[in-house]
Amino acid sequence: MKQVGHVAVQDVKRRWWVGCLSLVIGVPLVACCLFGLLAVVLPELDKFASSDQSANLPLLLLVIGVILIAGMIIVPVIAMWFVIQRRANMLDSIFLPLGLQGAMYMMVGRHYWGDINGRAVDVYIYRGPTMEIRISSRGRAQVQILPGDSLPVQISGVLNKHPMQTNAAQMAGYAIYADDEAWAQQLLAQPGLPDILQSLISGHADWAIFRHVEIQPGEVLLYLHRSKQMFVKANQFTAVQAWIGSLTALAETLEALPDPAIPAEPIHGISREERQKRSKFLLVAVLGILILLPVCLIGVGVLAYFLVG
């Protein structure tokens, strides 16, 4: 329940702050633009449409009206771009020195990718805030490791899905779910595993409300979701190099074991290429809406004006 409370409180705080900021900026802007359209531009256009005066002034008023309509959309977009770019610069200062490349991900997030120590590394930071660090491996198992007192574990218990039993005393604080429990027991018996999990789940990740480590066919990943802080800050990611090192150690540990007797099926839709395609599609769709919708509205208005005139 404590975790549910953290999530609810941070959501309320974040939404309240964003809502107040939107009202402070958006309401005066929209009000000014609408006032200019309804009180000045449209009445003047109506006067000139019913008279024989020069067409230069109506054309000028029409241009002003187009600018006002565009302003209601362009100014908020510019403000959003400024916020996104500022966050991108902050994250770039952390991830680019590691030798990774960076790009926009799902509009407001970032994706960093590259090779570190001969392994493909992908870092996704997106709405939530959520961070995934994925490192390639040759494993074929499916294992999830979560803090034993976490909310997902409690929900799984209600749904009658229980973690596997383990004899390793150092693993008592974790809930472990595995397709092949015999193989997972071999992994848990490895002497370096407790330190790896301590680094990934507990070390420098106390800002994240939900945390877990997952082994998937071809990858190992660290998943951090929901922050106790209101906004994304640089100190949340300062341990990324240690996390990458620990994930690499985890990949090496599981690769030293024999293949599981029950190999897991590859998960579709999570590859770097597929996620980049979805991100680009979302960007194109949003830009299309932002550009085409006002253009259509302006076009209809211009057509109506000339038809009436």
Side-chain angles (χ1 to χ4, degrees):
M1 294 302 296
K2 185 178 179 181
Q3 291 176 330
V4 175
H6 272 306
V7 173
V9 169
Q10 292 306 318
D11 270 351
V12 170
K13 286 182 178 179
R14 193 176 293 111
R15 291 178 186 276
W16 180 86
W17 177 257
V18 172
C20 290
L21 190 62
S22 300
L23 287 174
V24 170
I25 297 175
V27 171
L29 172 67
V30 173
C32 290
C33 291
L34 288 177
F35 176 80
L37 283 170
L38 299 177
V40 179
V41 176
L42 294 181
E44 291 299 321
L45 284 174
D46 185 58
K47 290 180 183 178
F48 280 99
S50 57
S51 67
D52 296 330
Q53 299 184 47
S54 171
N56 292 330
L57 188 55
L59 183 60
L60 177 61
L61 291 171
L62 189 62
V63 171
I64 295 174
V66 169
I67 293 174
L68 290 174
I69 294 174
M72 287 189 290
I73 299 172
I74 294 174
V75 173
V77 169
I78 292 175
M80 181 180 293
W81 177 86
F82 175 79
V83 172
I84 293 173
Q85 190 61 40
R86 182 181 178 186
R87 181 186 300 174
N89 293 338
M90 181 266 291
L91 294 173
D92 285 351
S93 68
I94 298 171
F95 290 94
L96 295 186
L98 301 178
L100 302 175
Q101 302 179 62
M104 179 184 291
Y105 180 70
M106 304 304 284
M107 291 294 297
V108 298
R110 297 290 288 172
H111 173 209
Y112 297 94
W113 71 94
D115 290 326
I116 297 179
N117 298 325
R119 294 182 184 273
V121 176
D122 288 275
V123 181
Y124 300 94
I125 302 170
Y126 51 94
R127 190 177 178 87
T130 300
M131 183 175 73
E132 295 178 36
I133 302 179
R134 294 177 173 268
I135 293 183
S136 63
S137 76
R138 297 189 300 274
R140 301 177 62 192
Q142 178 73 39
V143 181
Q144 286 184 316
I145 305 174
L146 303 89
D149 59 349
S150 62
L151 181 63
V153 175
Q154 298 172 21
I155 294 175
S156 296
V158 172
L159 298 176
N160 203 30
K161 182 181 179 181
H162 301 287
M164 59 179 282
Q165 300 296 319
T166 175
N167 297 324
Q170 292 177 304
M171 305 302 296
Y174 301 106
I176 301 160
Y177 302 87
D179 290 350
D180 188 336
E181 294 191 3
W183 183 90
Q185 292 287 6
Q186 296 182 59
L187 176 65
L188 299 179
Q190 301 304 305
L193 190 65
D195 291 336
I196 292 174
L197 295 180
Q198 173 70 21
S199 170
L200 292 172
I201 294 182
S202 302
H204 309 287
D206 52 348
W207 58 266
I209 297 175
F210 302 117
R211 314 179 297 278
H212 78 261
V213 174
E214 190 165 345
I215 298 170
Q216 296 177 353
E219 285 186 317
V220 294
L221 71 96
L222 171 64
Y223 183 86
L224 304 173
H225 181 58
R226 293 286 184 180
S227 175
K228 298 174 184 176
Q229 302 175 3
M230 186 178 297
F231 299 108
V232 176
K233 298 181 180 179
N235 62 1
Q236 296 176 338
F237 309 103
T238 53
V240 64
Q241 195 163 6
W243 290 332
I244 291 174
S246 296
L247 284 172
T248 301
L250 177 60
E252 293 171 350
T253 300
L254 67 91
E255 288 171 353
L257 299 175
D259 288 338
I262 308 174
E265 293 294 328
I267 301 175
H268 299 288
I270 62 171
S271 70
R272 177 187 300 173
E273 292 76 16
E274 289 169 313
R275 296 181 74 154
Q276 286 177 336
K277 285 180 182 178
R278 288 199 297 270
S279 179
K280 290 177 181 177
F281 175 79
L282 177 63
L283 178 61
V284 171
V286 171
L287 289 178
I289 293 173
L290 289 175
I291 294 173
L292 291 178
L293 184 60
V295 167
C296 290
L297 292 175
I298 292 170
V300 170
V302 171
L303 180 62
Y305 166 72
F306 283 112
L307 288 176
V308 173

Short mmCIF file of all heavy atoms in Angstrom, two decimals, residues 5-42:
data_model
loop_
_atom_site.label_atom_id
_atom_site.label_comp_id
_atom_site.label_asym_id
_atom_site.label_seq_id
_atom_site.Cartn_x
_atom_site.Cartn_y
_atom_site.Cartn_z
N GLY A 5 0.56 4.45 -2.50
CA GLY A 5 0.49 5.83 -2.03
C GLY A 5 1.52 6.71 -2.69
O GLY A 5 1.24 7.84 -3.09
N HIS A 6 2.78 6.20 -2.82
CA HIS A 6 3.84 6.96 -3.50
C HIS A 6 3.42 7.30 -4.93
O HIS A 6 3.58 8.44 -5.39
CB HIS A 6 5.14 6.16 -3.52
CG HIS A 6 5.98 6.36 -2.30
ND1 HIS A 6 6.38 7.61 -1.87
CD2 HIS A 6 6.52 5.47 -1.43
CE1 HIS A 6 7.12 7.49 -0.78
NE2 HIS A 6 7.22 6.20 -0.50
N VAL A 7 2.91 6.31 -5.65
CA VAL A 7 2.52 6.52 -7.04
C VAL A 7 1.41 7.56 -7.13
O VAL A 7 1.45 8.48 -7.94
CB VAL A 7 2.06 5.19 -7.68
CG1 VAL A 7 1.48 5.45 -9.07
CG2 VAL A 7 3.23 4.22 -7.78
N ALA A 8 0.39 7.43 -6.27
CA ALA A 8 -0.74 8.35 -6.32
C ALA A 8 -0.31 9.77 -5.99
O ALA A 8 -0.71 10.73 -6.67
CB ALA A 8 -1.82 7.87 -5.34
N VAL A 9 0.50 9.93 -4.93
CA VAL A 9 0.93 11.26 -4.52
C VAL A 9 1.75 11.92 -5.62
O VAL A 9 1.55 13.10 -5.95
CB VAL A 9 1.72 11.18 -3.21
CG1 VAL A 9 2.40 12.52 -2.92
CG2 VAL A 9 0.81 10.81 -2.05
N GLN A 10 2.71 11.19 -6.20
CA GLN A 10 3.55 11.78 -7.23
C GLN A 10 2.76 12.11 -8.49
O GLN A 10 3.01 13.12 -9.14
CB GLN A 10 4.71 10.84 -7.58
CG GLN A 10 5.73 10.69 -6.46
CD GLN A 10 6.27 12.01 -5.98
OE1 GLN A 10 6.57 12.91 -6.77
NE2 GLN A 10 6.39 12.17 -4.67
N ASP A 11 1.77 11.26 -8.83
CA ASP A 11 0.93 11.56 -9.99
C ASP A 11 0.13 12.84 -9.77
O ASP A 11 0.04 13.69 -10.66
CB ASP A 11 -0.04 10.39 -10.24
CG ASP A 11 0.55 9.37 -11.19
OD1 ASP A 11 1.61 9.65 -11.76
OD2 ASP A 11 -0.04 8.29 -11.34
N VAL A 12 -0.44 12.98 -8.58
CA VAL A 12 -1.22 14.18 -8.27
C VAL A 12 -0.33 15.42 -8.32
O VAL A 12 -0.70 16.44 -8.91
CB VAL A 12 -1.89 14.04 -6.89
CG1 VAL A 12 -2.50 15.37 -6.46
CG2 VAL A 12 -2.97 12.96 -6.92
N LYS A 13 0.85 15.34 -7.69
CA LYS A 13 1.76 16.48 -7.70
C LYS A 13 2.16 16.86 -9.12
O LYS A 13 2.14 18.04 -9.49
CB LYS A 13 3.02 16.16 -6.89
CG LYS A 13 2.82 16.14 -5.38
CD LYS A 13 4.16 15.85 -4.69
CE LYS A 13 4.01 15.87 -3.19
NZ LYS A 13 5.30 15.57 -2.52
N ARG A 14 2.55 15.86 -9.90
CA ARG A 14 3.03 16.13 -11.26
C ARG A 14 1.91 16.72 -12.13
O ARG A 14 2.10 17.69 -12.86
CB ARG A 14 3.58 14.85 -11.88
CG ARG A 14 4.39 15.06 -13.15
CD ARG A 14 4.97 13.75 -13.64
NE ARG A 14 5.97 13.23 -12.73
CZ ARG A 14 5.82 12.14 -11.99
NH1 ARG A 14 4.70 11.46 -12.06
NH2 ARG A 14 6.78 11.73 -11.20
N ARG A 15 0.71 16.13 -12.04
CA ARG A 15 -0.41 16.62 -12.85
C ARG A 15 -0.83 18.02 -12.41
O ARG A 15 -1.18 18.87 -13.24
CB ARG A 15 -1.60 15.65 -12.73
CG ARG A 15 -1.35 14.31 -13.40
CD ARG A 15 -2.52 13.36 -13.22
NE ARG A 15 -2.23 12.05 -13.73
CZ ARG A 15 -2.36 11.68 -15.01
NH1 ARG A 15 -2.77 12.58 -15.89
NH2 ARG A 15 -2.07 10.46 -15.39
N TRP A 16 -0.79 18.27 -11.10
CA TRP A 16 -1.15 19.59 -10.61
C TRP A 16 -0.17 20.63 -11.12
O TRP A 16 -0.57 21.70 -11.57
CB TRP A 16 -1.15 19.57 -9.07
CG TRP A 16 -1.52 20.89 -8.46
CD1 TRP A 16 -2.78 21.35 -8.20
CD2 TRP A 16 -0.61 21.91 -8.02
NE1 TRP A 16 -2.71 22.61 -7.64
CE2 TRP A 16 -1.40 22.98 -7.51
CE3 TRP A 16 0.77 22.04 -8.01
CZ2 TRP A 16 -0.83 24.14 -7.00
CZ3 TRP A 16 1.33 23.20 -7.50
CH2 TRP A 16 0.54 24.23 -7.00
N TRP A 17 1.12 20.33 -11.06
CA TRP A 17 2.14 21.27 -11.51
C TRP A 17 2.03 21.52 -13.01
O TRP A 17 2.06 22.67 -13.46
CB TRP A 17 3.52 20.73 -11.16
CG TRP A 17 4.65 21.59 -11.65
CD1 TRP A 17 5.44 21.35 -12.73
CD2 TRP A 17 5.10 22.84 -11.11
NE1 TRP A 17 6.36 22.36 -12.89
CE2 TRP A 17 6.16 23.29 -11.90
CE3 TRP A 17 4.70 23.60 -10.02
CZ2 TRP A 17 6.84 24.47 -11.64
CZ3 TRP A 17 5.37 24.80 -9.76
CH2 TRP A 17 6.42 25.22 -10.57
N VAL A 18 1.90 20.44 -13.78
CA VAL A 18 1.77 20.60 -15.24
C VAL A 18 0.49 21.34 -15.58
O VAL A 18 0.46 22.20 -16.48
CB VAL A 18 1.81 19.21 -15.92
CG1 VAL A 18 1.50 19.34 -17.41
CG2 VAL A 18 3.18 18.57 -15.74
N GLY A 19 -0.60 21.03 -14.87
CA GLY A 19 -1.85 21.72 -15.13
C GLY A 19 -1.77 23.21 -14.84
O GLY A 19 -2.25 24.04 -15.64
N CYS A 20 -1.15 23.57 -13.71
CA CYS A 20 -1.00 24.99 -13.37
C CYS A 20 -0.13 25.71 -14.40
O CYS A 20 -0.45 26.82 -14.83
CB CYS A 20 -0.38 25.13 -11.98
SG CYS A 20 -1.49 24.66 -10.63
N LEU A 21 0.97 25.06 -14.81
CA LEU A 21 1.85 25.68 -15.79
C LEU A 21 1.12 25.87 -17.13
O LEU A 21 1.27 26.90 -17.79
CB LEU A 21 3.09 24.81 -15.99
CG LEU A 21 4.24 25.41 -16.80
CD1 LEU A 21 4.77 26.65 -16.12
CD2 LEU A 21 5.36 24.38 -16.97
N SER A 22 0.32 24.87 -17.50
CA SER A 22 -0.42 24.97 -18.76
C SER A 22 -1.45 26.10 -18.70
O SER A 22 -1.64 26.83 -19.68
CB SER A 22 -1.13 23.64 -19.04
OG SER A 22 -0.19 22.59 -19.17
N LEU A 23 -2.10 26.24 -17.53
CA LEU A 23 -3.08 27.31 -17.39
C LEU A 23 -2.42 28.68 -17.45
O LEU A 23 -2.92 29.60 -18.11
CB LEU A 23 -3.84 27.15 -16.07
CG LEU A 23 -4.86 26.02 -15.99
CD1 LEU A 23 -5.42 25.90 -14.58
CD2 LEU A 23 -6.00 26.26 -16.98
N VAL A 24 -1.28 28.82 -16.76
CA VAL A 24 -0.60 30.11 -16.72
C VAL A 24 -0.16 30.55 -18.12
O VAL A 24 -0.25 31.73 -18.48
CB VAL A 24 0.61 30.04 -15.76
CG1 VAL A 24 1.49 31.28 -15.90
CG2 VAL A 24 0.13 29.90 -14.32
N ILE A 25 0.32 29.59 -18.91
CA ILE A 25 0.81 29.93 -20.25
C ILE A 25 -0.30 29.87 -21.29
O ILE A 25 -0.45 30.76 -22.12
CB ILE A 25 1.96 28.97 -20.66
CG1 ILE A 25 3.14 29.14 -19.70
CG2 ILE A 25 2.39 29.24 -22.10
CD1 ILE A 25 4.27 28.16 -19.95
N GLY A 26 -1.09 28.81 -21.23
CA GLY A 26 -2.05 28.55 -22.30
C GLY A 26 -3.28 29.44 -22.30
O GLY A 26 -3.71 29.93 -23.35
N VAL A 27 -3.87 29.68 -21.11
CA VAL A 27 -5.12 30.45 -21.06
C VAL A 27 -4.93 31.88 -21.58
O VAL A 27 -5.71 32.35 -22.43
CB VAL A 27 -5.70 30.43 -19.63
CG1 VAL A 27 -6.86 31.41 -19.52
CG2 VAL A 27 -6.17 29.03 -19.28
N PRO A 28 -3.91 32.64 -21.10
CA PRO A 28 -3.74 33.99 -21.66
C PRO A 28 -3.47 33.99 -23.16
O PRO A 28 -3.96 34.86 -23.90
CB PRO A 28 -2.54 34.55 -20.88
CG PRO A 28 -2.49 33.75 -19.62
CD PRO A 28 -2.95 32.39 -20.00
N LEU A 29 -2.68 33.02 -23.61
CA LEU A 29 -2.35 32.95 -25.04
C LEU A 29 -3.60 32.70 -25.88
O LEU A 29 -3.87 33.42 -26.84
CB LEU A 29 -1.32 31.83 -25.28
CG LEU A 29 -1.01 31.51 -26.74
CD1 LEU A 29 -0.29 32.68 -27.39
CD2 LEU A 29 -0.18 30.24 -26.84
N VAL A 30 -4.37 31.69 -25.50
CA VAL A 30 -5.58 31.37 -26.26
C VAL A 30 -6.59 32.51 -26.17
O VAL A 30 -7.25 32.87 -27.16
CB VAL A 30 -6.20 30.04 -25.75
CG1 VAL A 30 -7.55 29.79 -26.42
CG2 VAL A 30 -5.25 28.89 -26.03
N ALA A 31 -6.70 33.11 -24.98
CA ALA A 31 -7.65 34.21 -24.81
C ALA A 31 -7.29 35.39 -25.72
O ALA A 31 -8.18 35.99 -26.36
CB ALA A 31 -7.67 34.65 -23.35
N CYS A 32 -6.01 35.74 -25.77
CA CYS A 32 -5.58 36.85 -26.63
C CYS A 32 -5.84 36.55 -28.10
O CYS A 32 -6.33 37.41 -28.86
CB CYS A 32 -4.10 37.15 -26.41
SG CYS A 32 -3.73 37.88 -24.80
N CYS A 33 -5.52 35.33 -28.52
CA CYS A 33 -5.72 34.96 -29.93
C CYS A 33 -7.20 34.96 -30.29
O CYS A 33 -7.61 35.47 -31.34
CB CYS A 33 -5.10 33.60 -30.20
SG CYS A 33 -3.29 33.57 -30.14
N LEU A 34 -8.04 34.39 -29.40
CA LEU A 34 -9.47 34.36 -29.67
C LEU A 34 -10.07 35.77 -29.66
O LEU A 34 -10.94 36.09 -30.48
CB LEU A 34 -10.18 33.48 -28.64
CG LEU A 34 -9.95 31.98 -28.77
CD1 LEU A 34 -10.64 31.23 -27.63
CD2 LEU A 34 -10.43 31.45 -30.12
N PHE A 35 -9.60 36.61 -28.74
CA PHE A 35 -10.09 37.98 -28.70
C PHE A 35 -9.75 38.71 -30.00
O PHE A 35 -10.58 39.42 -30.58
CB PHE A 35 -9.48 38.73 -27.51
CG PHE A 35 -9.87 40.18 -27.45
CD1 PHE A 35 -11.10 40.56 -26.94
CD2 PHE A 35 -9.00 41.17 -27.92
CE1 PHE A 35 -11.46 41.90 -26.90
CE2 PHE A 35 -9.36 42.50 -27.88
CZ PHE A 35 -10.60 42.87 -27.37
N GLY A 36 -8.50 38.52 -30.46
CA GLY A 36 -8.11 39.15 -31.71
C GLY A 36 -8.95 38.67 -32.88
O GLY A 36 -9.34 39.46 -33.75
N LEU A 37 -9.26 37.39 -32.92
CA LEU A 37 -10.06 36.84 -34.02
C LEU A 37 -11.51 37.31 -33.96
O LEU A 37 -12.07 37.78 -34.95
CB LEU A 37 -10.02 35.31 -33.98
CG LEU A 37 -8.74 34.63 -34.48
CD1 LEU A 37 -8.76 33.15 -34.15
CD2 LEU A 37 -8.59 34.82 -35.98
N LEU A 38 -12.13 37.16 -32.77
CA LEU A 38 -13.56 37.41 -32.64
C LEU A 38 -13.90 38.89 -32.52
O LEU A 38 -14.97 39.33 -32.97
CB LEU A 38 -14.11 36.66 -31.43
CG LEU A 38 -13.95 35.13 -31.47
CD1 LEU A 38 -14.46 34.52 -30.18
CD2 LEU A 38 -14.67 34.55 -32.68
N ALA A 39 -13.03 39.68 -31.90
CA ALA A 39 -13.34 41.09 -31.67
C ALA A 39 -12.79 42.02 -32.74
O ALA A 39 -13.30 43.14 -32.89
CB ALA A 39 -12.80 41.51 -30.30
N VAL A 40 -11.77 41.59 -33.46
CA VAL A 40 -11.14 42.49 -34.42
C VAL A 40 -11.20 41.94 -35.84
O VAL A 40 -11.80 42.55 -36.74
CB VAL A 40 -9.66 42.76 -34.02
CG1 VAL A 40 -9.00 43.68 -35.04
CG2 VAL A 40 -9.58 43.36 -32.62
N VAL A 41 -10.59 40.79 -36.06
CA VAL A 41 -10.42 40.29 -37.42
C VAL A 41 -11.75 39.96 -38.08
O VAL A 41 -12.07 40.46 -39.17
CB VAL A 41 -9.49 39.05 -37.41
CG1 VAL A 41 -9.39 38.46 -38.80
CG2 VAL A 41 -8.10 39.44 -36.90
N LEU A 42 -12.56 39.10 -37.45
CA LEU A 42 -13.80 38.67 -38.09
C LEU A 42 -14.80 39.82 -38.30
O LEU A 42 -15.40 39.92 -39.38
CB LEU A 42 -14.43 37.54 -37.27
CG LEU A 42 -13.62 36.23 -37.23
CD1 LEU A 42 -14.34 35.18 -36.40
CD2 LEU A 42 -13.37 35.70 -38.64
#
